[in-house]
Amino acid sequence: MSAPDPTTGGPLAGLLVADFSRILAGPYATMLLADLGAEVVKVEGPAGDDTRTWMPPVREGVSTYFLGINRGKRSIALDLRDESDLAAARELARRADVVIENLKPGGMARFGLDYDAVRESNPGVVYASISGFGSGPGRDVPGYDLMVQAMSGLMSLTGDADGPPYRAGISVFDVMAGNHAAIGILAALRHRERSGEGQHVEVNLLSSALTGLVNHSSAWVASGTVPYRMGNAHPSVFPYEPLPTADDDLIVAAANDPQFRKLCGVLGIPEVADDPRFARNADRTANREELRPVLVERLRQKTAVEWFDLLTAAGVPSGPIQTIDGGFAMAERFGLDPVVPVGEGDRAVPTTRHPIRFSATPAVYRLPPPELDEHGAELRKWLSEDA
């Protein structure tokens, strides 16, 4: 391996990221950076990232979980308890523009790879740490997304009103924290560009969760109101939930008065929009139990897809409830090209397109998710050479 090449494409070309993270939040952040052109070196223990073993499902014997968050990276397996491997890790951190880790707070200090230690030899480093509950009193609490979904209050908001709390279908706060880490890294790099100073960027899942609960967090912080689960209903807007049609449920999200008037027009009940019980959003929300059957009676006359096309043409937000394959099919219908290949030949893997589009510096898909220590030999050789 040679030094990062600024001509490889992507807005972050030339940036070297030393990735000491594992599982989801950190690897998701570094995958986003790799898509944008950064050279990401994934440091794994001798057994590899945990997600290599999280299966099924698999693709040719490889965990699809691992494949989904590790494209664009080079892998080196290092045992940090081994003196020569630790020296290589420290040299990688010394050369890196960005170091990212998600061990329990203090874990990297055991190896002389914490921020203070790395900064001594690399004063301009942007060093990102992701934890479950911060580096203060919560430092010793393991940070798993399911725990944070429970402890943040999200599960209390998810599920039927008279049923048990549920977790979200994905590790939503790991993904959110990964996004926050990427944002923090980019902001710190901008600061370094202006000042020459590196810094320590800290992200924790609980803080990501609390900001991510948005209106529910604000309900508590600003008014002392504790929200509770309402199934698929919205506490402040109606209609904004699934409603039954002739076949499947359809999401109807008429979130303001003009949209509701258009909805009533498409449904053939324009007079309902003038009913004082339903004229304003606050009225509709207060009288939702009276309004819902009026809407359902009309919606049952056509299928969900038929209504979707009619409502979309009228400018009323709606959408059929689909499985994942349907979601990708819809993205194809809208010309979003959601699947791109990464790698070439037998190593080519279909992957989900990076979510951000750039007019001048598009995302790059150079390297398939690496095999464990796939690039170890070339990286060790590079790290042993004078920088």
Tab-separated table of all heavy atoms in Angstrom, residues 10-59:
chain	number	residue	atom	x	y	z
A	10	GLY	N	-13.870	11.238	-5.104
A	10	GLY	CA	-14.609	11.461	-3.872
A	10	GLY	C	-14.117	12.693	-3.152
A	10	GLY	O	-12.930	13.037	-3.215
A	11	PRO	N	-15.000	13.401	-2.451
A	11	PRO	CA	-14.614	14.648	-1.784
A	11	PRO	C	-13.619	14.468	-0.649
A	11	PRO	O	-12.977	15.430	-0.247
A	11	PRO	CB	-15.950	15.203	-1.266
A	11	PRO	CG	-16.869	14.039	-1.224
A	11	PRO	CD	-16.444	13.125	-2.318
A	12	LEU	N	-13.463	13.240	-0.126
A	12	LEU	CA	-12.511	13.012	0.965
A	12	LEU	C	-11.259	12.290	0.483
A	12	LEU	O	-10.496	11.748	1.295
A	12	LEU	CB	-13.172	12.209	2.086
A	12	LEU	CG	-14.383	12.856	2.764
A	12	LEU	CD1	-14.888	11.981	3.900
A	12	LEU	CD2	-14.056	14.255	3.274
A	13	ALA	N	-11.008	12.263	-0.813
A	13	ALA	CA	-9.819	11.606	-1.342
A	13	ALA	C	-8.565	12.189	-0.707
A	13	ALA	O	-8.435	13.397	-0.534
A	13	ALA	CB	-9.769	11.763	-2.859
A	14	GLY	N	-7.635	11.306	-0.338
A	14	GLY	CA	-6.405	11.721	0.312
A	14	GLY	C	-6.448	11.663	1.816
A	14	GLY	O	-5.426	11.851	2.483
A	15	LEU	N	-7.611	11.381	2.383
A	15	LEU	CA	-7.773	11.321	3.837
A	15	LEU	C	-7.551	9.890	4.320
A	15	LEU	O	-8.108	8.947	3.764
A	15	LEU	CB	-9.184	11.770	4.206
A	15	LEU	CG	-9.455	12.113	5.671
A	15	LEU	CD1	-8.875	13.489	5.985
A	15	LEU	CD2	-10.957	12.114	5.940
A	16	LEU	N	-6.741	9.704	5.342
A	16	LEU	CA	-6.480	8.377	5.909
A	16	LEU	C	-7.235	8.221	7.220
A	16	LEU	O	-7.062	9.019	8.150
A	16	LEU	CB	-4.984	8.178	6.152
A	16	LEU	CG	-4.587	6.853	6.826
A	16	LEU	CD1	-5.017	5.645	5.989
A	16	LEU	CD2	-3.086	6.815	7.104
A	17	VAL	N	-8.056	7.178	7.299
A	17	VAL	CA	-8.854	6.892	8.487
A	17	VAL	C	-8.398	5.570	9.087
A	17	VAL	O	-8.424	4.534	8.413
A	17	VAL	CB	-10.356	6.801	8.142
A	17	VAL	CG1	-11.179	6.468	9.387
A	17	VAL	CG2	-10.842	8.114	7.522
A	18	ALA	N	-7.969	5.599	10.334
A	18	ALA	CA	-7.626	4.386	11.076
A	18	ALA	C	-8.855	3.973	11.871
A	18	ALA	O	-9.241	4.644	12.824
A	18	ALA	CB	-6.446	4.642	12.003
A	19	ASP	N	-9.455	2.864	11.471
A	19	ASP	CA	-10.744	2.445	12.029
A	19	ASP	C	-10.535	1.308	13.023
A	19	ASP	O	-10.348	0.154	12.640
A	19	ASP	CB	-11.663	2.014	10.886
A	19	ASP	CG	-13.046	1.602	11.367
A	19	ASP	OD1	-13.327	1.753	12.571
A	19	ASP	OD2	-13.846	1.137	10.530
A	20	PHE	N	-10.590	1.645	14.304
A	20	PHE	CA	-10.468	0.646	15.371
A	20	PHE	C	-11.846	0.256	15.919
A	20	PHE	O	-11.941	-0.306	16.998
A	20	PHE	CB	-9.606	1.194	16.511
A	20	PHE	CG	-8.150	1.339	16.175
A	20	PHE	CD1	-7.660	2.508	15.604
A	20	PHE	CD2	-7.263	0.298	16.423
A	20	PHE	CE1	-6.318	2.652	15.293
A	20	PHE	CE2	-5.908	0.423	16.117
A	20	PHE	CZ	-5.424	1.611	15.547
A	21	SER	N	-12.898	0.574	15.185
A	21	SER	CA	-14.249	0.301	15.672
A	21	SER	C	-14.734	-1.051	15.177
A	21	SER	O	-14.143	-1.670	14.289
A	21	SER	CB	-15.214	1.403	15.220
A	21	SER	OG	-15.408	1.366	13.813
A	22	ARG	N	-15.857	-1.491	15.758
A	22	ARG	CA	-16.401	-2.792	15.371
A	22	ARG	C	-17.919	-2.761	15.485
A	22	ARG	O	-18.496	-1.831	16.001
A	22	ARG	CB	-15.831	-3.910	16.256
A	22	ARG	CG	-16.133	-3.711	17.727
A	22	ARG	CD	-15.325	-4.645	18.621
A	22	ARG	NE	-15.710	-4.472	20.022
A	22	ARG	CZ	-16.671	-5.168	20.613
A	22	ARG	NH1	-17.327	-6.088	19.935
A	22	ARG	NH2	-16.971	-4.958	21.878
A	23	ILE	N	-18.550	-3.760	15.008
A	23	ILE	CA	-19.991	-4.003	15.015
A	23	ILE	C	-20.694	-3.003	14.099
A	23	ILE	O	-20.614	-3.151	12.889
A	23	ILE	CB	-20.579	-4.085	16.433
A	23	ILE	CG1	-19.818	-5.162	17.249
A	23	ILE	CG2	-22.051	-4.434	16.387
A	23	ILE	CD1	-20.320	-5.383	18.658
A	24	LEU	N	-21.373	-1.949	14.597
A	24	LEU	CA	-22.223	-1.173	13.705
A	24	LEU	C	-21.947	0.320	13.670
A	24	LEU	O	-21.665	0.870	12.609
A	24	LEU	CB	-23.695	-1.427	14.047
A	24	LEU	CG	-24.745	-0.680	13.202
A	24	LEU	CD1	-24.490	-0.841	11.715
A	24	LEU	CD2	-26.142	-1.170	13.557
A	25	ALA	N	-22.045	1.028	14.791
A	25	ALA	CA	-22.002	2.493	14.740
A	25	ALA	C	-20.717	3.007	14.100
A	25	ALA	O	-20.751	3.829	13.175
A	25	ALA	CB	-22.171	3.076	16.142
A	26	GLY	N	-19.569	2.527	14.578
A	26	GLY	CA	-18.300	2.967	14.017
A	26	GLY	C	-18.097	2.524	12.583
A	26	GLY	O	-17.763	3.339	11.711
A	27	PRO	N	-18.264	1.221	12.292
A	27	PRO	CA	-18.114	0.781	10.899
A	27	PRO	C	-19.059	1.468	9.925
A	27	PRO	O	-18.705	1.696	8.768
A	27	PRO	CB	-18.398	-0.729	10.987
A	27	PRO	CG	-17.940	-1.099	12.361
A	27	PRO	CD	-18.337	0.072	13.212
A	28	TYR	N	-20.271	1.798	10.376
A	28	TYR	CA	-21.192	2.521	9.492
A	28	TYR	C	-20.627	3.905	9.175
A	28	TYR	O	-20.643	4.349	8.020
A	28	TYR	CB	-22.564	2.644	10.145
A	28	TYR	CG	-23.604	3.312	9.264
A	28	TYR	CD1	-24.195	2.625	8.218
A	28	TYR	CD2	-23.980	4.630	9.480
A	28	TYR	CE1	-25.136	3.240	7.391
A	28	TYR	CE2	-24.923	5.251	8.669
A	28	TYR	CZ	-25.491	4.547	7.629
A	28	TYR	OH	-26.414	5.164	6.825
A	29	ALA	N	-20.095	4.590	10.198
A	29	ALA	CA	-19.511	5.918	9.981
A	29	ALA	C	-18.335	5.837	9.016
A	29	ALA	O	-18.222	6.653	8.087
A	29	ALA	CB	-19.070	6.525	11.313
A	30	THR	N	-17.450	4.862	9.211
A	30	THR	CA	-16.266	4.790	8.355
A	30	THR	C	-16.623	4.337	6.947
A	30	THR	O	-15.936	4.701	5.986
A	30	THR	CB	-15.197	3.876	8.962
A	30	THR	OG1	-15.747	2.573	9.234
A	30	THR	CG2	-14.669	4.474	10.258
A	31	MET	N	-17.683	3.547	6.782
A	31	MET	CA	-18.122	3.194	5.436
A	31	MET	C	-18.576	4.442	4.692
A	31	MET	O	-18.269	4.619	3.498
A	31	MET	CB	-19.250	2.171	5.474
A	31	MET	CG	-19.730	1.744	4.087
A	31	MET	SD	-21.118	0.597	4.114
A	31	MET	CE	-22.454	1.690	4.635
A	32	LEU	N	-19.313	5.322	5.376
A	32	LEU	CA	-19.731	6.568	4.737
A	32	LEU	C	-18.521	7.387	4.304
A	32	LEU	O	-18.502	7.968	3.209
A	32	LEU	CB	-20.605	7.382	5.689
A	32	LEU	CG	-21.937	6.766	6.118
A	32	LEU	CD1	-22.660	7.706	7.081
A	32	LEU	CD2	-22.827	6.454	4.924
A	33	LEU	N	-17.491	7.434	5.150
A	33	LEU	CA	-16.281	8.181	4.805
A	33	LEU	C	-15.555	7.523	3.635
A	33	LEU	O	-15.031	8.220	2.750
A	33	LEU	CB	-15.359	8.273	6.022
A	33	LEU	CG	-15.930	8.973	7.262
A	33	LEU	CD1	-14.912	8.945	8.395
A	33	LEU	CD2	-16.345	10.408	6.948
A	34	ALA	N	-15.532	6.183	3.606
A	34	ALA	CA	-14.894	5.472	2.488
A	34	ALA	C	-15.631	5.751	1.184
A	34	ALA	O	-15.006	5.946	0.133
A	34	ALA	CB	-14.858	3.969	2.773
A	35	ASP	N	-16.958	5.755	1.238
A	35	ASP	CA	-17.742	6.073	0.044
A	35	ASP	C	-17.376	7.445	-0.512
A	35	ASP	O	-17.473	7.681	-1.725
A	35	ASP	CB	-19.242	6.083	0.371
A	35	ASP	CG	-19.820	4.700	0.631
A	35	ASP	OD1	-19.135	3.696	0.361
A	35	ASP	OD2	-20.974	4.635	1.110
A	36	LEU	N	-16.985	8.344	0.368
A	36	LEU	CA	-16.663	9.708	-0.046
A	36	LEU	C	-15.195	9.870	-0.405
A	36	LEU	O	-14.717	10.985	-0.591
A	36	LEU	CB	-17.060	10.697	1.053
A	36	LEU	CG	-18.554	10.683	1.419
A	36	LEU	CD1	-18.856	11.735	2.468
A	36	LEU	CD2	-19.429	10.893	0.185
A	37	GLY	N	-14.481	8.738	-0.496
A	37	GLY	CA	-13.116	8.772	-1.014
A	37	GLY	C	-12.021	8.572	-0.001
A	37	GLY	O	-10.847	8.465	-0.376
A	38	ALA	N	-12.340	8.551	1.297
A	38	ALA	CA	-11.307	8.365	2.307
A	38	ALA	C	-10.697	6.967	2.208
A	38	ALA	O	-11.366	6.004	1.837
A	38	ALA	CB	-11.889	8.577	3.706
A	39	GLU	N	-9.414	6.871	2.527
A	39	GLU	CA	-8.731	5.578	2.616
A	39	GLU	C	-8.940	5.063	4.036
A	39	GLU	O	-8.399	5.618	4.989
A	39	GLU	CB	-7.240	5.744	2.337
A	39	GLU	CG	-6.475	4.448	2.227
A	39	GLU	CD	-6.792	3.692	0.953
A	39	GLU	OE1	-6.552	4.231	-0.143
A	39	GLU	OE2	-7.290	2.551	1.073
A	40	VAL	N	-9.741	4.022	4.192
A	40	VAL	CA	-10.087	3.500	5.512
A	40	VAL	C	-9.365	2.175	5.738
A	40	VAL	O	-9.502	1.242	4.946
A	40	VAL	CB	-11.611	3.299	5.655
A	40	VAL	CG1	-11.939	2.679	7.011
A	40	VAL	CG2	-12.340	4.629	5.486
A	41	VAL	N	-8.601	2.119	6.813
A	41	VAL	CA	-7.937	0.886	7.224
A	41	VAL	C	-8.684	0.333	8.422
A	41	VAL	O	-8.709	0.951	9.496
A	41	VAL	CB	-6.460	1.130	7.567
A	41	VAL	CG1	-5.822	-0.163	8.091
A	41	VAL	CG2	-5.704	1.647	6.350
A	42	LYS	N	-9.307	-0.819	8.231
A	42	LYS	CA	-10.101	-1.452	9.286
A	42	LYS	C	-9.196	-2.367	10.101
A	42	LYS	O	-8.683	-3.373	9.590
A	42	LYS	CB	-11.252	-2.244	8.666
A	42	LYS	CG	-12.167	-2.916	9.685
A	42	LYS	CD	-13.321	-3.635	8.984
A	42	LYS	CE	-14.240	-4.326	9.991
A	42	LYS	NZ	-14.955	-3.363	10.859
A	43	VAL	N	-8.993	-2.013	11.348
A	43	VAL	CA	-8.164	-2.819	12.247
A	43	VAL	C	-9.069	-3.799	12.984
A	43	VAL	O	-9.982	-3.391	13.701
A	43	VAL	CB	-7.403	-1.924	13.248
A	43	VAL	CG1	-6.561	-2.784	14.178
A	43	VAL	CG2	-6.527	-0.912	12.505
A	44	GLU	N	-8.812	-5.084	12.786
A	44	GLU	CA	-9.609	-6.119	13.431
A	44	GLU	C	-8.731	-6.961	14.342
A	44	GLU	O	-7.526	-7.105	14.112
A	44	GLU	CB	-10.270	-7.015	12.387
A	44	GLU	CG	-11.146	-6.262	11.399
A	44	GLU	CD	-11.859	-7.190	10.434
A	44	GLU	OE1	-12.755	-7.937	10.891
A	44	GLU	OE2	-11.518	-7.177	9.236
A	45	GLY	N	-9.343	-7.523	15.373
A	45	GLY	CA	-8.640	-8.488	16.185
A	45	GLY	C	-8.435	-9.780	15.410
A	45	GLY	O	-8.993	-9.957	14.319
A	46	PRO	N	-7.654	-10.719	15.947
A	46	PRO	CA	-7.384	-11.968	15.224
A	46	PRO	C	-8.640	-12.739	14.837
A	46	PRO	O	-8.644	-13.447	13.824
A	46	PRO	CB	-6.532	-12.764	16.219
A	46	PRO	CG	-5.867	-11.719	17.066
A	46	PRO	CD	-6.880	-10.618	17.201
A	47	ALA	N	-9.728	-12.600	15.614
A	47	ALA	CA	-10.980	-13.305	15.297
A	47	ALA	C	-11.873	-12.511	14.354
A	47	ALA	O	-12.890	-13.028	13.888
A	47	ALA	CB	-11.739	-13.630	16.584
A	48	GLY	N	-11.517	-11.262	14.072
A	48	GLY	CA	-12.307	-10.443	13.163
A	48	GLY	C	-13.441	-9.717	13.858
A	48	GLY	O	-13.768	-9.970	15.027
A	49	ASP	N	-14.053	-8.806	13.132
A	49	ASP	CA	-15.218	-8.062	13.610
A	49	ASP	C	-16.338	-9.029	13.975
A	49	ASP	O	-16.588	-10.009	13.269
A	49	ASP	CB	-15.686	-7.118	12.488
A	49	ASP	CG	-16.725	-6.107	12.935
A	49	ASP	OD1	-17.757	-6.535	13.502
A	49	ASP	OD2	-16.520	-4.912	12.706
A	50	ASP	N	-17.019	-8.726	15.083
A	50	ASP	CA	-18.106	-9.599	15.542
A	50	ASP	C	-19.118	-9.895	14.447
A	50	ASP	O	-19.657	-11.006	14.354
A	50	ASP	CB	-18.845	-8.951	16.723
A	50	ASP	CG	-17.996	-8.846	17.974
A	50	ASP	OD1	-16.762	-8.799	17.847
A	50	ASP	OD2	-18.576	-8.795	19.071
A	51	THR	N	-19.414	-8.881	13.605
A	51	THR	CA	-20.481	-9.060	12.625
A	51	THR	C	-20.123	-10.047	11.528
A	51	THR	O	-20.998	-10.472	10.765
A	51	THR	CB	-20.894	-7.719	11.993
A	51	THR	OG1	-19.763	-7.123	11.344
A	51	THR	CG2	-21.444	-6.769	13.042
A	52	ARG	N	-18.859	-10.451	11.438
A	52	ARG	CA	-18.504	-11.509	10.493
A	52	ARG	C	-19.219	-12.814	10.849
A	52	ARG	O	-19.433	-13.661	9.987
A	52	ARG	CB	-16.988	-11.734	10.473
A	52	ARG	CG	-16.187	-10.613	9.822
A	52	ARG	CD	-14.710	-10.977	9.743
A	52	ARG	NE	-13.897	-9.926	9.172
A	52	ARG	CZ	-13.678	-9.754	7.862
A	52	ARG	NH1	-14.242	-10.570	6.994
A	52	ARG	NH2	-12.898	-8.766	7.432
A	53	THR	N	-19.588	-12.966	12.112
A	53	THR	CA	-20.237	-14.208	12.563
A	53	THR	C	-21.732	-14.057	12.753
A	53	THR	O	-22.408	-15.000	13.152
A	53	THR	CB	-19.617	-14.675	13.896
A	53	THR	OG1	-19.942	-13.738	14.940
A	53	THR	CG2	-18.109	-14.793	13.791
A	54	TRP	N	-22.270	-12.863	12.467
A	54	TRP	CA	-23.701	-12.639	12.670
A	54	TRP	C	-24.464	-13.094	11.420
A	54	TRP	O	-24.597	-12.361	10.449
A	54	TRP	CB	-23.965	-11.162	12.974
A	54	TRP	CG	-23.514	-10.768	14.358
A	54	TRP	CD1	-22.793	-11.522	15.229
A	54	TRP	CD2	-23.745	-9.525	15.015
A	54	TRP	NE1	-22.549	-10.840	16.383
A	54	TRP	CE2	-23.129	-9.597	16.287
A	54	TRP	CE3	-24.404	-8.356	14.664
A	54	TRP	CZ2	-23.158	-8.549	17.194
A	54	TRP	CZ3	-24.434	-7.298	15.578
A	54	TRP	CH2	-23.831	-7.403	16.825
A	55	MET	N	-24.932	-14.314	11.464
A	55	MET	CA	-25.622	-14.909	10.321
A	55	MET	C	-26.619	-15.946	10.821
A	55	MET	O	-26.503	-16.400	11.969
A	55	MET	CB	-24.597	-15.550	9.372
A	55	MET	CG	-23.665	-16.558	10.052
A	55	MET	SD	-22.417	-17.289	8.949
A	55	MET	CE	-21.269	-15.941	8.704
A	56	PRO	N	-27.615	-16.333	9.991
A	56	PRO	CA	-27.906	-15.877	8.648
A	56	PRO	C	-28.508	-14.460	8.658
A	56	PRO	O	-28.795	-13.957	9.739
A	56	PRO	CB	-28.925	-16.912	8.162
A	56	PRO	CG	-29.641	-17.344	9.421
A	56	PRO	CD	-28.591	-17.291	10.497
A	57	PRO	N	-28.742	-13.894	7.446
A	57	PRO	CA	-28.466	-14.433	6.118
A	57	PRO	C	-27.002	-14.286	5.711
A	57	PRO	O	-26.245	-13.526	6.334
A	57	PRO	CB	-29.381	-13.601	5.212
A	57	PRO	CG	-29.533	-12.309	5.937
A	57	PRO	CD	-29.495	-12.622	7.396
A	58	VAL	N	-26.644	-15.016	4.659
A	58	VAL	CA	-25.275	-14.998	4.157
A	58	VAL	C	-25.286	-14.847	2.646
A	58	VAL	O	-26.281	-15.133	1.982
A	58	VAL	CB	-24.506	-16.277	4.544
A	58	VAL	CG1	-24.429	-16.448	6.049
A	58	VAL	CG2	-25.150	-17.507	3.903
A	59	ARG	N	-24.153	-14.400	2.116
A	59	ARG	CA	-23.904	-14.406	0.681
A	59	ARG	C	-22.587	-15.134	0.466
A	59	ARG	O	-21.541	-14.657	0.918
A	59	ARG	CB	-23.837	-12.991	0.103
A	59	ARG	CG	-23.481	-12.957	-1.387
A	59	ARG	CD	-23.285	-11.528	-1.873
A	59	ARG	NE	-22.777	-11.477	-3.229
A	59	ARG	CZ	-23.528	-11.507	-4.320
A	59	ARG	NH1	-24.848	-11.585	-4.206
A	59	ARG	NH2	-22.990	-11.444	-5.522
